[in-house]
Amino acid sequence: MSLADLPLSIRTVSERTGLSCHVIRVWEKRYSTVQPRRSRGNQRIYSDADVVRLQRLRRLTEQGHSIGKLAHLNDEQLNQLISDEGAQVARPTPTAERATVSQSTHEIITRALAAVQEMDLHRLESILEAAILEVGQIGLLGKVIGPLAENIGQEWRQGRLHAAHEHLATATIRTFLGKMVRPFALSPSAPLLVATTPAGQLHELGAALVAASASVLGWRVTYAGTSLPAEEISRIAQVQSARVVALSLIHPEDDPFIPQELARLRRLLPQKTALIAGGRAIRAYSAALAENQIQAVHDLEELGEVLDALRRPTPGTIEDLPTPTNE
Amino acid sequence: MSLADLPLSIRTVSERTGLSCHVIRVWEKRYSTVQPRRSRGNQRIYSDADVVRLQRLRRLTEQGHSIGKLAHLNDEQLNQLISDEGAQVARPTPTAERATVSQSTHEIITRALAAVQEMDLHRLESILEAAILEVGQIGLLGKVIGPLAENIGQEWRQGRLHAAHEHLATATIRTFLGKMVRPFALSPSAPLLVATTPAGQLHELGAALVAASASVLGWRVTYAGTSLPAEEISRIAQVQSARVVALSLIHPEDDPFIPQELARLRRLLPQKTALIAGGRAIRAYSAALAENQIQAVHDLEELGEVLDALRRPTPGTIEDLPTPTNE
DNA sequence: TCGAAGGTGTCAATGTTTTGTCCATGTATT
DNA sequence: AATACATGGACAAAACATTGACACCTTCGA
């Protein structure tokens, strides 16, 4: 808006939408899907709105609608269709599609691991970047980055990767996740989540992963680093009126102080602040979690459900977010 | 004054932006991307702001935008494009925190500290973001973020800030610095720097600061996280053919193992790989640094000089007279 | 069941525009 | 004298536009 249309080339549009240049042009010619301006040299100049429209069209065509019928609908109608689809089609994911997805995530992870092995961080980043288009932001977090981190840890413990690999990968992924968190652009009324690890837990990727996921799901997020004592976590949660505190438990699986810390944290936090915990080590501490009404979350999918549930039943009014970000 | 607004030659600009001199000139001629002053002898004289602008243009062209369309946009619009680049969904940037203009670095730091005090991370980030336009990237790193980190550490040790504040600020600044590191490869011929801290040194901001600075100065950078044993650092340096390994020494000032680690590292690294060290604790280890031909760097300005000197004497030859490029 | 028709994505050929690089020549700087 | 820089022109590669053709699929009628 404020700053007029930003000029996008057809190649950029192709990359952002996942449609080939050919298709974009032929759709324009046959169905007038979008009508970009032209430069003096007759090259197409697209706007952000065009990209959004094309993304929607792509999504709908992949779900079986024919482009010929979609093309003449206006943006409103497309949006309507998408939300309908989201409600219905989300569950009965055809097994075929699921298979291809896991196929592709597996392949992505393999390639990412190879990049780590060769210490080619730039390539690692490119792979992750490109994967967003294939599996979506949430898919990337839950089905690529999560397993990837797990994998690297495993390889490291088994001596097939060195500490150097693990450090490099962690630093790179941490930076990547940092970029995914949108610090702005959310209405101040969105609920807030604090992501961190309790004192003694040094591994930061889990917390960063939760932070990124929550951000993508429309939460405001405060990422607080690792190894924080209960008082400090509580301080943050209270100053920021957090609705949820998310803890990541990964490495020391037998730290005798963790149960104490969890109990103290529960005591220090106001009752309306929910506590959730995830990470490989949650099983080891399951007793302490149960005692302190800390909800265990086993994967990012479950995190999404839990956050959805926690989103509404709390204080004040119903959310008034203008547009639920597509995806 | 100082490093931030020295007159820059086209060659220096070329090194810092990764664009060839040819391209810089031809962009100027065809699109008026920047219009540098001229010296008496008609040579181009660039400012730090020009470098920032060119870096952004380069980044955007690499992402698929065409220079012909970008060149006429103003700084504001470029800025927006860049931030949109990260988040897939295009959104209007909020106009928050835009009012104040032209602050001294001291004022900026004060306001940033206040934001930390109030745990308003969004504001902290906005302040830093806005400061780029006011003091340039290098100025931001050397005169704002560096002192700010120092300040926060001090306040914390003196009990005026809690660990929570320090953690939040560290995480936020770390993310911010991560975004400043060029996500793409410069000319593959650009020299490479590895930034990390030796085993036992846990504070990561120093290393991240060095990484960001070197990146802005036109180096390819590998950020390797904290607390790495000498073997691992050496492994990375060799796989990547690093020209420089930069170590940050901050917190434990009396770790007896550090001198050993430094000696081992010097032994493990090829002779052509330079070692430099910075951070508050370098004085405490000065003997060990001297013994192992590790150059001590006291501030980011000095870092700039040292890197410029290390840039050219590529292979083989002994380093000759330190000729600071920036006249 | 078969074949025709229409819808859809991909490709090849050809010409134009855009953009990065290079060369030659002249001037300034060291 | 040896670099480093400026300028203009030339050139080549990459990206884009346009047209027409083709292969694959679904649908529908014979």
Side-chain angles (χ1 to χ4, degrees):
Chain A
M1 44 182 314
S2 52
L3 309 166
D5 299 318
L6 300 162
L8 304 170
S9 68
I10 193 168
R11 185 162 67 95
T12 316
V13 173
S14 162
E15 279 164 13
R16 290 199 186 175
T17 59
L19 299 165
S20 77
C21 296
H22 289 304
V23 169
I24 296 174
R25 277 193 283 255
V26 90
W27 279 9
E28 178 189 330
K29 180 176 170 181
R30 293 178 186 159
Y31 321 105
S32 305
T33 43
V34 295
Q35 276 153 333
R37 323 197 302 277
R38 297 301 183 110
S39 71
R40 272 192 307 285
N42 197 32
Q43 305 203 181
R44 293 171 174 82
I45 300 176
Y46 293 87
S47 70
D48 282 327
D50 294 332
V51 173
V52 172
R53 183 176 170 91
L54 287 173
Q55 279 173 339
R56 289 179 176 155
L57 287 174
R58 162 164 187 226
R59 182 153 163 184
L60 288 171
T61 54
E62 281 183 353
Q63 287 183 337
H65 296 78
S66 78
I67 180 63
K69 288 169 198 149
L70 291 175
H72 305 297
L73 302 179
N74 63 29
D75 292 347
E76 280 303 324
Q77 294 167 308
L78 287 184
N79 226 352
Q80 184 60 40
L81 253 185
I82 289 207
S83 35
D84 291 353
E85 293 297 323
Q88 301 171 3
V89 179
R91 309 183 200 297
T93 328
T95 47
E97 183 175 333
R98 171 145 296 180
T100 64
V101 166
S102 79
Q103 179 72 26
S104 71
T105 60
H106 184 265
E107 196 219 341
I108 294 170
I109 293 172
T110 307
R111 289 192 299 140
L113 262 177
V116 171
Q117 173 85 48
E118 295 163 33
M119 297 191 185
D120 189 339
L121 304 181
H122 182 253
R123 201 168 95 227
L124 173 59
E125 212 173 320
S126 306
I127 292 171
L128 297 182
E129 193 80 49
I132 292 183
L133 264 185
E134 273 192 62
V135 299
Q137 287 185 305
I138 307 264
L140 175 72
L141 293 168
K143 299 192 189 130
V144 176
I145 295 187
L148 175 62
E150 193 69 29
N151 247 313
I152 292 172
Q154 228 166 347
E155 298 281 298
W156 176 33
R157 282 189 297 279
Q158 297 179 1
R160 287 201 291 271
L161 288 179
H162 295 282
H165 294 108
E166 195 267 352
H167 269 63
L168 288 176
T170 299
T172 304
I173 296 174
R174 158 73 171 82
T175 301
F176 185 88
L177 291 174
K179 290 183 196 168
M180 287 188 73
V181 175
R182 290 179 295 211
F184 43 78
L186 284 184
S187 77
S189 65
L192 191 140
L193 174 145
V194 174
T196 184
T197 77
Q201 289 277 333
L202 290 172
H203 208 74
E204 75 172 336
L205 235 37
L209 203 50
V210 170
S213 305
S215 176
V216 170
L217 292 173
W219 288 60
R220 283 155 62 219
V221 169
T222 292
Y223 175 68
T226 64
S227 197
L228 268 182
E231 291 80 13
E232 304 294 332
I233 299 177
S234 153
R235 199 186 309 276
I236 297 171
Q238 291 189 43
V239 168
Q240 307 209 330
S241 305
R243 188 166 308 170
V244 177
V245 169
L247 302 173
S248 167
L249 303 171
I250 295 187
H251 173 46
E253 304 210 354
D254 51 359
D255 185 336
F257 294 102
I258 290 287
Q260 295 177 26
E261 281 289 292
L262 297 180
R264 282 204 308 153
L265 183 54
R266 179 67 279 176
R267 201 159 353 101
L268 288 165
L269 281 178
Q271 203 56 39
K272 63 170 184 171
T273 303
L275 258 171
I276 66 182
R280 179 152 29 97
I282 55 173
R283 241 161 310 164
Y285 301 111
S286 57
L289 297 184
E291 276 169 28
N292 297 293
Q293 304 131 50
I294 302 175
Q295 176 149 18
V297 174
H298 299 84
D299 54 39
L300 283 190
E301 199 165 336
E302 193 180 351
L303 176 70
E305 292 163 15
V306 171
L307 289 185
D308 269 353
L310 285 170
R311 178 162 206 139
R312 312 166 222 295
T314 342
T317 55
I318 306 174
E319 51 187 323
D320 51 351
L321 293 179
T323 318
T325 336
N326 46 5
E327 324 304 276
Chain B
M1 310 286 122
S2 71
L3 207 51
D5 30 52
L6 287 171
L8 305 169
S9 69
I10 194 169
R11 173 140 181 253
T12 319
V13 174
S14 163
E15 284 168 355
R16 291 194 184 173
T17 58
L19 298 164
S20 77
C21 296
H22 288 304
V23 168
I24 296 173
R25 276 192 283 256
V26 90
W27 278 10
E28 179 188 330
K29 179 177 165 181
R30 291 180 185 157
Y31 320 106
S32 305
T33 44
V34 295
Q35 277 150 334
R37 315 198 312 274
R38 297 301 183 111
S39 72
R40 279 187 314 282
N42 196 32
Q43 303 204 333
R44 291 172 174 81
I45 299 177
Y46 293 87
S47 72
D48 198 57
D50 294 331
V51 175
V52 173
R53 184 175 169 91
L54 288 173
Q55 281 176 337
R56 291 188 171 157
L57 287 173
R58 156 121 204 240
R59 175 159 165 184
L60 287 170
T61 53
E62 298 237 326
Q63 308 234 311
H65 297 81
S66 72
I67 181 61
K69 289 165 207 151
L70 290 175
H72 304 298
L73 302 178
N74 62 30
D75 291 341
E76 200 75 33
Q77 292 169 311
L78 288 185
N79 215 9
Q80 163 166 14
L81 251 190
I82 295 240
S83 32
D84 284 353
E85 219 46 58
Q88 282 289 323
V89 190
R91 292 165 175 280
T93 38
T95 47
E97 189 63 48
R98 206 62 202 83
T100 45
V101 205
S102 170
Q103 317 248 339
S104 76
T105 58
H106 184 263
E107 274 174 288
I108 296 174
I109 293 173
T110 306
R111 290 196 304 137
L113 263 178
V116 171
Q117 174 83 52
E118 295 164 31
M119 297 191 184
D120 188 339
L121 304 180
H122 176 347
R123 200 169 95 227
L124 173 60
E125 208 170 326
S126 302
I127 292 171
L128 297 180
E129 192 80 51
I132 292 186
L133 296 177
E134 292 171 22
V135 298
Q137 295 187 83
I138 300 188
L140 175 72
L141 293 168
K143 292 193 239 161
V144 176
I145 294 186
L148 175 63
E150 193 71 29
N151 247 313
I152 292 172
Q154 229 166 347
E155 299 281 300
W156 177 32
R157 282 190 297 280
Q158 296 179 1
R160 286 202 291 271
L161 287 179
H162 295 282
H165 294 108
E166 196 269 352
H167 269 62
L168 287 176
T170 298
T172 304
I173 296 174
R174 158 72 172 82
T175 300
F176 186 87
L177 291 174
K179 289 184 197 168
M180 286 189 75
V181 175
R182 279 204 201 78
F184 51 84
L186 295 220
S187 39
S189 66
L192 191 138
L193 174 145
V194 174
T196 184
T197 76
Q201 288 277 335
L202 291 172
H203 208 75
E204 75 171 336
L205 235 36
L209 202 51
V210 170
S213 304
S215 177
V216 168
L217 291 173
W219 289 61
R220 283 154 63 221
V221 169
T222 293
Y223 175 68
T226 63
S227 196
L228 268 181
E231 290 81 12
E232 304 295 330
I233 298 178
S234 156
R235 198 186 308 276
I236 297 172
Q238 292 191 41
V239 168
Q240 308 210 331
S241 306
R243 186 165 311 163
V244 176
V245 169
L247 302 173
S248 169
L249 303 172
I250 296 188
H251 173 46
E253 306 210 352
D254 52 359
D255 184 338
F257 292 103
I258 290 288
Q260 295 178 24
E261 280 290 293
L262 296 180
R264 283 203 309 154
L265 183 55
R266 177 69 281 176
R267 199 158 358 99
L268 289 166
L269 281 179
Q271 203 57 36
K272 62 167 186 173
T273 303
L275 259 171
I276 64 181
R280 180 153 26 98
I282 54 173
R283 241 162 308 165
Y285 300 111
S286 57
L289 297 184
E291 276 170 28
N292 298 293
Q293 305 132 49
I294 302 175
Q295 176 149 18
V297 175
H298 299 85
D299 55 39
L300 283 190
E301 196 167 338
E302 192 180 351
L303 176 71
E305 292 163 16
V306 171
L307 289 185
D308 271 351
L310 285 169
R311 169 161 218 136
R312 305 170 218 297
T314 335
T317 57
I318 311 163
E319 52 180 320
D320 32 19
L321 305 177
T323 322
T325 344
N326 31 16
E327 30 285 347

